[in-house]
Amino acid sequence: MSDNVVHLHKNTDPAPVTTLTVVPEPAPAKPVPLWIRSGRAVRTAVTHDVTKTTARAMARHTLFVAGGARIAAKRTWDGRTASRYERMIRAAEAAGNHELAAEWEERGQHFRRERHQRRMDLITSPIDAAKGVAVGAGMSVGSLIALGVVMAVATKDAGNVFTPLMATVDFINLLITIAQVVWGPAVTLGPFLALLALWAVGKHQQAAPAWALPDNVRNSEGEPITPSIVVKALRDLGVPALRTAIKDMGDAGAGMLGPIRIAGCGVEVDVTLPSGVSTIEVQNRRRKLAENLTRHEHEVFITIPQAARTVRLWVADSGALDEPIGPSLLVTDETMTADYAKGRAPWGQDLRGDAAALSVYQRHLLITGLSNQGKTAALRALALWAALDRSVEFWVGDLKGVGDWAMFEGLATRFIQGPTDDHVIQVTKMLEDAVEEMNRRLMAPPGTQFPALIVNVDEAQVAFMCPLKDEEGRFYGGSKATSRYFMAARKLHNQGRAVNVLLWQGTQDPTDQNLPKLVREGAHTRASLALGTESQSRMALGDKAVNGGAAPHLLRPGLDKGTLVIASDGIKVPAGQSSITVRTHYISTEEAHVIADRAKALRDGIATLTVIEQGEERDPLADILGALGDAPRVRTKDVLKRLATLNEKAYSGWSFLDLKRVLDDAGAEPHKSDGVMVVSRDRVAQALANRDTDGSASASADG
């Protein structure tokens, strides 16, 4: 049959014609050559996981023998020569410890003297040994013959005289026979036993390249921190002087390390760097050091302690910093109260796991960081603690205006909430009123004690960036001598602390424009969440803290929320350090409301003055009642201040006479109490009720 297939096609033309079309069959596929199939099979076999694992195991155990031989040779060389003492001397000199170097030099000289004595003894030892053998043999033969004589006398058989001597000869002959039998196998097995011993040494020290080690050894993430791991991490840091110094040290660099101490969820160790290596060279290689220690960058912190040429490493347990810390004592202890002067606010935990508590007594405060990193929650936690001291007064300006500080309404005597320029104007005037209060207190006799007044401004960068001017052409924002918010903040920073008038500010993403240098340096407590650059860290904390190891710019935005780097004398900082890293407790808005309610329960009723839109018709008597709040009586001077805050346009020009006129007309005249003029809330409320009743009656009569 032909290889072609014939198909019949019927023509549709009028004259039907049958045509034949020949369609060739496709050619059969060519067989794959044998050598290609064999190559594919070989490649599959070579690249198979079983093959790789087997080859790596064979290489590993072979290299264990070579590594063990190298280790054994080094140990033997160290034991027979003075090289160990030479290395220790070089290590001590590299560390600048000349006393220790002299001590090792003396030990080396002692070793050399003893070695020389041993070699001199070898010269005379053959003669002494021969004499000893001769004397010993003679005495032994004499003793055996004497023993034989005793046996012969006892047995009355003269043949027993040489019996002990012959028994000894037979025993020696037996030992020679045993040695002849064992010698052959021992010579055969000896090399194998030696290789086995070298393999055991190499395996114990893992003396093989990393690629040959098993996966559970090569993947050492999270392994415990040991002196050898720390030294190896420093050696491979890429600092030539450090690597050379470690190589020359007799103890392989272990002398650089202090004790490795358990510190919270990690360990801490001080490293004394050898001469010629700067601490900044180690600080600038934080990421590489962390990777050498099988950690992530955020799990290693490098600080500079008090000792010279020393870095302090804190290395977290792998993944420990990603675990949340417990709730705040403000939430768990419903009986907690605060003491502004002597107490400390429970703010969180340091990296060692110890409680981090901050003293706020006579300390201005600045907290900054990138947006949405927990700044408001951290600042609010301190304010909630201070509010549990009933003597502390709060003026709050929330320039975010989303309700994060709503729980302070009814707790703060002044409360401004909103992000607009009008709210900035109100906050600026609030600071200026605080300056007036500060000046009033400064005029008091020396030694006068004043309760704390904490002026709290959140999102203060909004105030610094406000472009509006007042009637005199002075900017509310900015950082010039005519900038109202800036100058009020500066005045509070300069003298407010002495009379317990404090300014607490929270800002975000600091720059020279939204956080002027003089303002940020006026804060006694400076804390920073995650930032973008080192220059921002220096703005937030100061050069000293950053030079000492503070690095909020290395915190992870979003992952390290609530983690603060703090520079302050109000918190316990490890000796020699200029800052401390604290993981703050998170207090939710709902929990903050509960704590604020407890603070309100500790106080008499407080009237919170809030921003009221200007331009509306005022009712002076109703406003006076609102300014009094729940207090039974308030000093006339304080009533005037509260009215001015309530509506500056309507009441900023009021004097005592204006206030007295309105109250006299209403029948609620001011009166003296404890020697000062006060306004009675009951009188004002009664006068307002009588007026409303009279008005209703008049309306009914008119109707």
Side-chain angles (χ1 to χ4, degrees), residues 640-660:
L640 289 172
K641 287 184 178 180
R642 295 181 182 184
L643 288 173
T645 302
L646 188 66
N647 191 295
E648 183 182 17
K649 185 175 181 179
Y651 300 118
S652 62
W654 270 35
S655 65
F656 171 73
L657 295 178
D658 297 314
L659 177 63
K660 186 175 184 303

Side-chain angles (χ1 to χ4, degrees), residues 367 369-377 379 397-402 404-405 418-419 424 427 456-465 485 504-509 514:
I367 300 180
L370 298 178
S371 177
N372 195 32
Q373 298 303 309
K375 167 180 52 62
T376 297
L379 182 59
D398 176 16
L399 293 178
K400 184 188 294 183
V402 296
D404 289 337
W405 294 87
V424 171
V427 169
N456 194 335
V457 181
D458 195 12
E459 304 296 342
Q461 77 279 355
V462 178
F464 285 113
M465 300 300 289
Y485 183 92
W504 291 6
Q505 296 182 99
T507 70
Q508 64 174 261
D509 201 11
N514 64 26

Side-chain angles (χ1 to χ4, degrees), residues 505-540:
Q505 296 182 99
T507 70
Q508 64 174 261
D509 201 11
T511 65
D512 284 327
Q513 289 71 40
N514 64 26
L515 187 59
K517 185 175 189 288
L518 292 178
V519 171
R520 61 182 185 249
E521 291 185 351
H524 302 96
T525 296
R526 300 168 70 173
S528 177
L529 296 141
L531 289 172
T533 64
E534 181 179 334
S535 63
Q536 287 184 315
S537 297
R538 293 184 181 275
M539 292 180 189

Side-chain angles (χ1 to χ4, degrees), residues 64 67-69 71-72 75 196-207:
F64 279 164
I71 295 171
R75 290 175 179 175
L196 181 61
L198 296 176
W199 174 85
V201 173
K203 183 177 185 301
H204 180 72
Q205 298 291 334
Q206 294 293 317

Side-chain angles (χ1 to χ4, degrees), residues 111-165:
F111 170 80
R112 291 186 180 92
R113 285 194 299 269
E114 289 188 344
R115 183 181 61 183
H116 176 71
Q117 186 61 43
R118 288 194 300 270
R119 290 175 177 175
M120 295 302 296
D121 292 341
L122 288 176
I123 297 176
T124 59
S125 60
I127 300 175
D128 295 338
K131 291 179 180 180
V133 170
V135 173
M139 293 179 63
S140 299
V141 172
S143 299
L144 292 174
I145 291 176
L147 180 60
V149 171
V150 173
M151 291 178 62
V153 172
T155 59
K156 298 180 181 180
D157 185 0
N160 287 334
V161 172
F162 296 100
T163 298
L165 182 61

Side-chain angles (χ1 to χ4, degrees), residues 16-92:
V17 178
T18 302
T19 62
L20 295 176
T21 303
V22 179
V23 179
E25 287 186 348
K30 295 182 179 179
V32 179
L34 178 61
W35 66 272
I36 294 180
R37 294 200 303 271
S38 301
R40 291 174 179 173
V42 170
R43 184 180 63 182
T44 302
V46 169
T47 58
H48 196 274
D49 290 341
V50 175
T51 305
K52 291 181 179 180
T53 303
T54 303
R56 196 164 61 235
M58 294 176 62
R60 177 169 66 251
H61 292 290
T62 302
L63 293 170
F64 279 164
V65 176
R70 176 176 51 81
I71 295 171
K74 188 175 185 303
R75 290 175 179 175
T76 303
W77 178 259
D78 287 343
R80 301 290 296 176
T81 68
S83 60
R84 175 182 302 172
Y85 300 93
E86 296 293 339
R87 287 199 305 271
M88 298 302 291
I89 292 171
R90 289 195 298 270

Side-chain angles (χ1 to χ4, degrees), residues 182-339:
V182 173
W183 180 255
V187 171
T188 304
L189 296 176
F192 295 100
L193 294 176
L195 291 176
L196 181 61
L198 296 176
W199 174 85
V201 173
K203 183 177 185 301
H204 180 72
Q205 298 291 334
Q206 294 293 317
W211 59 265
L213 296 176
D215 293 336
N216 61 339
V217 176
R218 288 186 291 122
N219 184 17
S220 56
E221 181 175 353
E223 64 182 347
I225 300 300
T226 62
S228 60
I229 290 177
V230 175
V231 172
K232 187 176 183 297
L234 293 170
R235 185 195 67 193
D236 299 337
L237 201 54
V239 181
L242 181 58
R243 183 180 184 89
T244 302
I246 293 175
K247 183 178 179 182
D248 292 339
M249 291 180 182
D251 57 356
M256 298 190 305
L257 307 183
I260 296 180
R261 304 175 296 272
I262 296 178
C265 57
V267 296
E268 186 177 76
V269 59
D270 286 351
V271 181
T272 302
L273 300 176
S275 178
V277 181
S278 171
T279 55
I280 193 65
E281 293 182 276
V282 178
Q283 284 184 295
N284 289 341
R285 291 169 172 81
R286 178 187 177 192
R287 174 176 293 181
K288 189 170 185 179
L289 178 61
E291 292 172 350
N292 290 348
L293 293 169
T294 64
R295 294 294 191 274
H296 297 291
E297 184 178 10
H298 72 277
E299 294 176 328
V300 174
F301 288 81
I302 306 172
T303 54
I304 308 300
Q306 194 169 5
R309 215 172 63 241
T310 302
V311 293
R312 178 168 294 162
L313 307 181
W314 186 86
V315 185
D317 298 335
S318 184
L321 294 183
D322 296 328
E323 298 294 330
I325 64 174
S328 171
L329 287 175
L330 293 172
V331 176
T332 59
D333 186 359
E334 296 182 356
T335 63
M336 172 175 278
T337 57
D339 186 340

